[in-house]
Amino acid sequence: MISKAVIQNLAKLARLEVSGKELATLEKEIPDILKFVETIQSVSEKPTALSTTLINVMRADDPPAGGPHEGGIYTEALLKAAPTRVGDSIAVKQVIKRSW
Amino acid sequence: MPDLKTITIKRARKSLDAKEYSALELTDSYLEEIRKQDDKIHAYLEVWEKTAREEAKNADKTIERGESQPLTGIPIAVKDNILIEGRVASAASKILENYTASYDATVIKKLKEQGAVFLGRTNMDEFALGASTENSAFGPTKNPNDLSRVPGGTSGGSAAAVASGMALVALGSDTGGSVRQPSAFCGVAGLKPTYGSVSRFGLIAAASSLDQIGTIGKTVADAQALFNAIRGHDEKDSTSLPESSRSDLGNSKGRTFRIGVPRSLFANALAKDSSERFEQSLETLRVKGYEIVDIDLFANPQVPLAVYYIINPAEVSTNLARFDGIRYGLSIKAETIEEVYSKTRGAGFGPETRRRILVGTFVLSSGYADAYYRRAREVRELIRADFARALESVDAIVTPTTPGPAFKFGEKSDPVAMYFEDIFTVPVSLAGVPAISVPSGTVVREGVSLPIGFQIIGTHGSEELLFAVGKDAERV
């Protein structure tokens, strides 16, 4: 059921460039992996207390002790890692194009 | 100078404080050992010789003032997915090859406060996906016991460094067995703590509901000492547990502990000699007064593994979406922003990482998420309940850490065969309980003695019990 087209579509969704050669390997490997994980279908039981182990961690919407940190103190550390920078911004290719 | 193959933190602490040798001399002997051995083992991706010597000199000053803490001047190796400000952290991936961390992980902050010495960053499977370090973008690490065999993974560099005397202790991370399995293959002790007991802040995320930073030492006591230094609540990690969640041995000291053995889990999975080593470790505990009982855990041991290989890729595909060539890491130039994304990710991620991203995208996709991801979440709860039930009647559960000893490079080229390496370790990760792998003697393959591990599993927060049982079981 997992065809080459499905894998190509997954790669597109995952924004991952995949070569034709790799696609041929994946076409065999991905169904093998999915076939194995389908072992979970052998379990018919349903859990009784799903909610007990997953809890939201909430906290008051208060500023941290000493107030919020001064603006800009982390800017340089973070921008230093960016591949393309213009001033204090990260530069990217155009995101939205006119369609008319 | 001490023998680096046998020295422990306790001994080093005593000698450092007694000025038998300085922290700088200790660090220099590790750096020398790395120079001698690492060309053939390749445990390290980078050795921080200059900063390590500076840190050691500072440790000597602290010791001189009589202010040393347990890990002051102790040389530590750090897995390449844990951030240290100003240093490269690549998760053994091309996509982060030149990424310099902009902040310290919480565990690093704690170790800096103790004056520990960071020797270098260790090799791993890319983004902590694998079981052999063969998925490193920078070449595999070799097993110090047999260079034709893998050290295990994903924390293979950390385990190999400790086993070969190229670090006193090491930090690793364990998502489905990544500290325990390499520790077993290299013949050292490795702890996967309770989920939430060690902060994940500054750990490059693989699968967030499973990832946990763990510790590796030649002995249980060394793994314990490093754990004690890094554990504790952290407000920067919302999955961090409150301090009260940890149980000490308290007044249970002196009581007879019950150890459960889920024999049906591994009855047909072990070679005869591996099975004999397991029985010997069990006998060691029995002789020391432990009560050993057979228990049932889950009907089909392949089910937890299948659950894991749905949840892990799902979370990996989500976490790794952040690597897009825009904010940090590799960036491939292209005409459109879509192409920047897909070309950067196509060039930056290795084969196993790509497989997980694609499988993860599939199990989360519309029309399949119910049958795969959501169902796996439900079955995960059943596994968690199985452990909780079993740990009501026994204090700890023991299994072999892996089905066998270290395998040869290239031996498990089929992805699913590699996944089966994790069959005894992933159920523990799914349940979030702690486990430790301790050395359990050796088996001979092609004339070479290869270590295997004995896994001890406890209930949430029971690390102290695991250390106590581990010290009784380990065969150094």
Side-chain angles (χ1 to χ4, degrees):
Chain A
M1 80 178 169
I2 305 291
S3 63
K4 200 176 262 183
V6 171
I7 294 171
Q8 265 169 330
N9 192 41
L10 289 173
K12 197 176 154 222
L13 286 169
R15 303 203 190 285
L16 186 67
E17 190 177 73
V18 174
S19 71
K21 194 178 154 218
E22 190 184 5
L23 204 58
T25 321
L26 290 168
E27 211 183 354
K28 189 198 163 293
E29 287 171 343
I30 303 271
D32 279 356
I33 294 168
L34 292 176
K35 186 165 168 264
F36 168 64
V37 301
E38 279 159 17
T39 309
I40 66 162
Q41 290 168 2
S42 67
V43 182
S44 52
E45 232 180 310
K46 287 266 178 191
T48 47
L50 192 64
S51 57
T52 56
T53 56
L54 289 173
I55 49 158
N56 278 323
V57 177
M58 308 295 276
R59 67 176 181 210
D61 189 19
D62 294 331
H69 67 72
E70 212 179 304
I73 58 171
Y74 299 117
T75 307
E76 199 49 43
L78 294 173
L79 277 173
K80 231 168 37 186
T84 319
R85 172 180 179 172
V86 176
D88 272 356
S89 305
I90 293 171
V92 297
K93 287 277 171 190
Q94 188 176 6
V95 177
I96 302 167
K97 288 194 190 84
R98 335 161 36 126
S99 60
W100 66 90
Chain B
M1 284 308 291
D3 177 1
L4 300 188
K5 290 253 153 65
T6 56
I7 187 178
T8 61
I9 289 182
K10 196 176 165 191
R11 276 244 305 280
R13 176 82 277 127
K14 226 170 136 186
S15 300
L16 288 168
D17 289 345
K19 319 270 169 53
E20 287 165 30
Y21 45 77
S22 68
L24 182 60
E25 286 171 309
L26 183 63
T27 292
D28 277 340
S29 36
Y30 276 102
L31 293 170
E32 179 59 30
E33 200 60 33
I34 294 168
R35 273 192 293 274
K36 263 195 253 167
Q37 292 196 66
D38 207 35
D39 278 351
K40 56 180 204 301
I41 294 176
H42 193 226
Y44 285 94
L45 291 175
E46 186 182 0
V47 180
W48 298 314
E49 188 164 332
K50 204 173 149 212
T51 49
R53 298 188 82 241
E54 286 307 314
E55 287 155 3
K57 283 181 204 166
N58 285 333
D60 279 326
K61 285 181 201 152
T62 307
I63 295 166
E64 192 59 45
R65 289 195 302 270
E67 292 168 2
S68 69
Q69 296 179 65
L71 298 184
T72 306
I74 299 297
I76 295 175
V78 180
K79 190 176 181 179
D80 191 31
N81 59 354
I82 298 171
L83 306 191
I84 306 183
E85 188 180 346
R87 302 189 197 186
V88 171
S90 80
S93 178
K94 288 275 180 206
I95 213 163
L96 286 177
E97 188 171 6
N98 300 308
Y99 170 70
T100 301
S102 45
Y103 63 97
D104 279 334
T106 297
V107 295
I108 295 298
K109 192 165 158 268
K110 286 174 181 251
L111 292 174
K112 281 184 173 174
E113 282 163 7
Q114 288 226 8
V117 172
F118 302 113
L119 290 170
R121 57 189 172 96
T122 53
N123 200 10
M124 56 185 282
D125 288 291
E126 182 183 22
F127 285 109
L129 309 173
S132 67
T133 74
E134 287 167 294
N135 296 333
S136 168
F138 309 109
T141 297
K142 315 271 173 64
N143 190 311
N145 301 286
D146 179 345
L147 298 178
S148 70
R149 289 175 189 272
V150 304
T154 64
S155 312
S158 288
V162 172
S164 57
M166 295 195 289
L168 215 172
V169 283
L171 290 178
S173 69
D174 189 313
T175 306
S178 283
V179 161
R180 291 161 283 161
Q181 184 251 22
S183 296
F185 280 9
C186 292
V188 293
L191 170 75
K192 197 290 284 187
T194 305
Y195 182 77
S197 64
V198 176
S199 170
R200 292 185 296 113
F201 182 73
L203 171 69
I204 296 174
S208 302
S209 77
L210 297 155
D211 293 342
Q212 189 62 196
I213 293 175
T215 61
I216 298 172
K218 285 191 293 292
T219 62
V220 170
D222 280 359
Q224 178 179 18
L226 187 54
F227 170 70
N228 285 339
I230 60 171
R231 58 163 298 278
H233 178 73
D234 181 11
E235 62 176 23
K236 293 194 173 91
D237 173 359
S238 64
T239 59
S240 172
L241 291 168
E243 293 294 334
S244 58
S245 60
R246 188 184 185 219
S247 55
D248 55 28
L249 285 176
N251 51 16
S252 62
K253 268 180 190 154
R255 162 171 91 76
T256 300
F257 289 118
R258 273 163 74 91
I259 305 291
V261 188
R263 289 191 185 279
S264 62
L265 208 65
F266 48 84
N268 303 315
L270 300 184
K272 188 163 169 283
D273 52 2
S274 297
S275 176
E276 282 167 7
R277 293 302 95 79
F278 177 76
E279 293 302 330
Q280 281 166 358
S281 289
L282 214 49
E283 191 54 30
T284 307
L285 289 178
R286 202 192 315 267
V287 167
K288 288 184 179 166
Y290 289 83
E291 187 189 348
I292 314 288
V293 295
D294 284 358
I295 58 163
D296 286 321
L297 201 46
F298 14 80
N300 179 357
Q302 292 195 18
V303 167
L305 194 61
V307 168
Y308 180 84
Y309 279 98
I310 293 172
I311 289 175
N312 174 296
E315 295 186 14
V316 165
S317 71
T318 311
N319 272 325
L320 267 47
R322 77 192 62 186
F323 299 103
D324 56 6
I326 304 295
R327 287 159 301 162
Y328 40 74
L330 181 73
S331 185
I332 304 285
K333 291 201 174 3
E335 283 306 307
T336 66
I337 194 162
E338 286 81 8
E339 280 180 318
V340 172
Y341 297 151
S342 65
K343 284 184 189 301
T344 297
R345 292 163 63 77
F349 290 135
E352 177 62 20
T353 305
R354 300 148 79 92
R355 271 193 290 272
R356 300 252 185 142
I357 289 172
L358 293 171
V359 170
T361 306
F362 177 82
V363 300
L364 289 173
S365 62
S366 171
Y368 295 103
D370 280 334
Y372 290 87
Y373 179 66
R374 292 197 185 90
R375 183 62 188 139
R377 285 262 309 272
E378 287 181 349
V379 181
R380 179 181 187 173
E381 290 303 318
L382 296 171
I383 294 162
R384 217 179 150 98
D386 283 340
F387 270 107
R389 196 175 331 108
L391 286 164
E392 272 170 20
S393 63
V394 295
D395 296 292
I397 297 168
V398 297
T399 73
T401 309
T402 59
F407 48 91
K408 296 222 163 191
F409 287 102
E411 193 179 319
K412 296 189 192 288
S413 54
D414 168 45
V416 178
M418 188 70 89
Y419 296 171
F420 268 80
E421 267 308 298
D422 303 330
I423 192 154
F424 303 141
T425 49
V426 294
V428 172
S429 303
L430 290 170
V433 293
I436 191 166
S437 176
V438 302
S440 178
T442 57
V443 295
V444 177
R445 294 288 178 274
E446 297 176 353
V448 184
S449 288
L450 301 169
I452 54 170
F454 182 75
Q455 178 176 236
I456 308 156
I457 306 160
T459 191
H460 295 93
S462 69
E463 280 84 357
E464 290 305 314
L465 172 75
L466 298 188
F467 297 137
V469 182
K471 285 171 192 174
D472 282 336
E474 71 184 325
R475 305 216 299 270
V476 185

